[in-house]
Amino acid sequence: MDTLPAWLLAEIDTVPAYDAFAGVDELHAGLRRIADRHPGVASLRRCGSSRQGNPLWCLTIDADAPDAPEALAFGLPHPNEPIGGLTALHLAERLCADRELRARLGHRWRIVDCADPDGLRLNEGWLRGPFTRSHYARHFYRPAGRDQVEWTFPVNHGDAYFDEPIPETQALMRLIDAHRPALVASLHNSELGGAYYWLSRAEPALHPVLQRVPEHLGIPLDRGEPEAPDLELLDDAIFEATPLATVYERTMARRQPWIFEGGSTTWYAERWGALVLVSELPYWLDPRAGDTAEAGVTYAEALAANAVALADLGELLTRTLASVENHLIAPASPFWRAARFYATVVEAAGQERLARSKDPASERPATVAEASSLELNIHEWRLRYGGILFRALRGEAAVGNVRASVRSALAEVEQRYAAWLAEDARVAELDPIEIRRLVGVQYAATVAAAAHLAGRLQL
């Protein structure tokens, strides 16, 4: 088919306008209002607690059929990705309000509005705008690996072992194990580029709909540099969420250390045969994200330029951390934990891209999408991870740390950060995408996946 199903177009039109993203209190209040308005259909219960004791809430929406399969949708698996919180609320509202939609989708739903309330509170400085790159970056927070909901599920495969899931992850584990969902919608989002998806398995009949939804809403599919170099592309802008066994085998075959600690939602939910859908959307519109024309540089040159810039960023992060590490008042703060983690991530990524730039296979023309995504990645990571270090240093100053090493590091990072912001404004300042369109893509993808599993996608 060349067009989206009529029912799905109508559902996209139900998404309202938004002038801001929602914080923790707004999300919780929204979920409770939905439960209060639809007592015969929905019920709200606390499903867990965060590390700092904040509640996690789950709304259950019953199906007409007692033997209906289960679906789980949750927002904010990474707390810097708030599109999914609004998507979760809209999904809950539509399911409660429209019995015909519930019948079409054919599932009993469990909806968690916010999987990481502690982390979302550390992003609330930018959620209401202004939606400039500078304002966003100065209030950005993303947790260290061991503090992430998405990557602290248990792992026990070969020599890979992890059994320290954080409380938020444990809450999702309980929901998955108790209800064995046929569909899991993990509501992520990216930052720059275009729209793309992860699926735990190929679903060819669903792929064209997933691809047309963002294009219908004026968002290009992302055909730039993927998140990892060896991902399997199931279809245009649809990646396989690589199974644990495959990732482990590839790692061992290369004689590389196992860099993952915990596992992903996909790895955990696959025990119940779930179709896992991750819908990734950017905040800023970049038409180049889908451009497959030649960029005028080789792929090797684009990789090498990215690697040089990441090496410079990694050097600053690592050197700064070393200079202040023994002089901190609050060394266990989430900002310092994140700064340490991303210093290693940046360094490893730079080395990996430099190595790939020397591969003869990279001596091919880069596409516009590839070259622009590698260039924008430099700005993205400088502002993200340099920004986390900057927040950590400002936090030390705020609690009275006036040691010379901390003052000196803060002055240098502040100067570098101002220069990065100015450069980003010159070459990477892009138009923010209307929030309604972002929620529309994620919502439509989620209900389309459920309808597909129910055999009612094209009816």
Side-chain angles (χ1 to χ4, degrees):
M1 294 180 64
D2 295 328
T3 60
L4 293 168
W7 74 268
L8 189 58
L9 290 171
E11 282 304 316
I12 292 171
D13 288 342
T14 67
V15 178
Y18 303 94
D19 58 10
F21 294 104
V24 177
D25 295 334
E26 295 167 276
L27 291 174
H28 289 348
L31 210 59
R32 182 163 295 283
R33 281 195 300 271
I34 293 169
D36 290 345
R37 283 199 303 268
H38 302 279
V41 176
S43 59
L44 185 66
R45 72 178 181 90
R46 184 169 178 167
C47 62
S49 302
S50 72
R51 284 152 292 170
Q52 296 192 36
N54 290 303
L56 277 68
W57 296 99
C58 178
L59 186 77
T60 298
I61 302 172
D62 288 329
D64 292 336
D67 59 346
E70 295 270 349
L72 170 65
F74 57 96
L76 284 302
H78 287 132
N80 57 293
E81 300 174 1
I83 298 171
L86 295 177
T87 302
L89 290 188
H90 187 68
L91 174 66
E93 180 61 46
R94 287 294 301 138
L95 289 168
C96 287
D98 193 326
R99 184 172 183 174
E100 289 186 7
L101 179 63
R102 295 199 303 274
R104 177 184 292 279
L105 303 189
H107 289 73
R108 178 177 293 101
W109 290 81
R110 316 283 170 173
I111 299 177
V112 177
D113 58 338
C114 180
D116 187 354
D118 297 353
L120 180 56
R121 290 192 187 279
L122 297 180
N123 278 283
E124 287 185 345
W126 68 268
L127 299 183
R128 304 201 67 81
F131 295 110
T132 63
R133 301 271 297 140
S134 175
H135 185 74
Y136 164 79
R138 288 183 179 277
H139 297 88
F140 175 91
Y141 167 72
R142 185 178 175 92
R146 276 199 172 228
D147 296 333
Q148 292 184 12
V149 177
E150 182 60 80
W151 287 105
T152 53
F153 284 87
V155 171
N156 188 3
H157 185 89
D159 293 331
Y161 186 80
F162 179 85
D163 64 356
E164 298 179 48
I166 61 177
E168 297 90 332
T169 306
Q170 292 177 40
L172 295 180
M173 290 166 56
R174 288 192 294 270
L175 289 172
I176 291 169
D177 289 338
H179 305 296
R180 304 183 181 187
L183 172 66
V184 175
S186 183
L187 302 173
H188 286 258
N189 64 258
S190 55
E191 180 176 323
L192 300 171
Y196 62 101
Y197 304 93
W198 303 86
L199 284 175
S200 56
R201 62 176 184 262
E203 295 286 343
L206 178 61
H207 298 176
V209 173
L210 294 179
Q211 292 161 336
R212 287 196 295 270
V213 163
E215 293 178 335
H216 171 74
L217 287 163
I219 299 171
L221 294 176
D222 195 306
R223 300 183 175 99
E225 182 72 6
E227 292 187 37
D230 55 0
L231 297 176
E232 180 177 345
L233 198 61
L234 299 176
D235 212 324
D236 191 14
I238 302 175
F239 294 96
E240 178 190 43
T242 313
L244 168 61
T246 303
V247 176
Y248 183 82
E249 289 163 8
R250 288 175 181 170
T251 303
M252 296 302 105
R254 295 170 182 157
R255 299 183 179 180
Q256 294 175 337
W258 180 254
I259 61 170
F260 299 94
E261 291 182 297
S264 68
T265 310
T266 303
W267 295 351
Y268 194 78
E270 68 183 2
R271 67 185 61 194
W272 306 121
L275 173 65
V276 180
L277 167 68
V278 177
S279 307
E280 300 269 15
L281 283 304
Y283 300 121
W284 286 277
L285 185 63
D286 183 4
R288 298 172 297 177
D291 191 341
T292 57
E294 293 186 6
V297 297
T298 66
Y299 184 53
E301 290 169 333
L303 284 170
N306 177 277
V308 169
L310 292 189
D312 175 69
L313 172 60
E315 188 277 332
L316 174 67
L317 297 178
T318 302
R319 174 170 51 79
T320 303
L321 286 165
S323 71
V324 301
E325 193 67 76
N326 296 324
H327 306 285
L328 302 176
I329 291 176
S333 86
F335 296 111
W336 285 119
R337 289 170 62 87
R340 296 181 191 104
F341 175 75
Y342 290 110
T344 64
V345 169
V346 170
E347 286 193 329
Q351 293 166 4
E352 182 272 329
R353 288 169 191 174
L354 181 61
R356 276 199 292 139
S357 74
K358 298 175 181 178
D359 186 334
S362 296
E363 291 294 339
R364 59 168 178 80
T367 67
V368 171
E370 289 171 331
S372 63
S373 64
L374 284 164
E375 179 185 2
L376 288 178
N377 170 252
I378 298 165
H379 299 277
E380 178 184 30
W381 282 22
R382 281 172 175 171
L383 299 191
R384 276 186 171 207
Y385 306 134
I388 289 174
L389 177 62
F390 190 20
R391 287 188 76 176
L393 288 165
R394 284 186 293 156
E396 285 292 313
V399 296
N401 192 334
V402 294
R403 293 178 175 88
S405 60
V406 173
R407 288 186 288 110
S408 176
L410 177 57
E412 181 184 8
V413 171
E414 184 172 22
Q415 181 181 34
R416 293 288 300 277
Y417 202 68
W420 290 336
L421 285 171
E423 184 179 350
D424 184 77
R426 286 195 303 273
V427 304
E429 191 70 49
L430 305 167
D431 292 330
I433 301 172
E434 185 183 6
I435 297 173
R436 178 190 65 83
R437 292 157 61 195
L438 300 174
V439 174
V441 173
Q442 203 166 62
Y443 170 65
T446 302
V447 296
H452 165 70
L453 292 180
R456 301 186 185 96
L457 178 58
Q458 301 292 354
L459 296 179

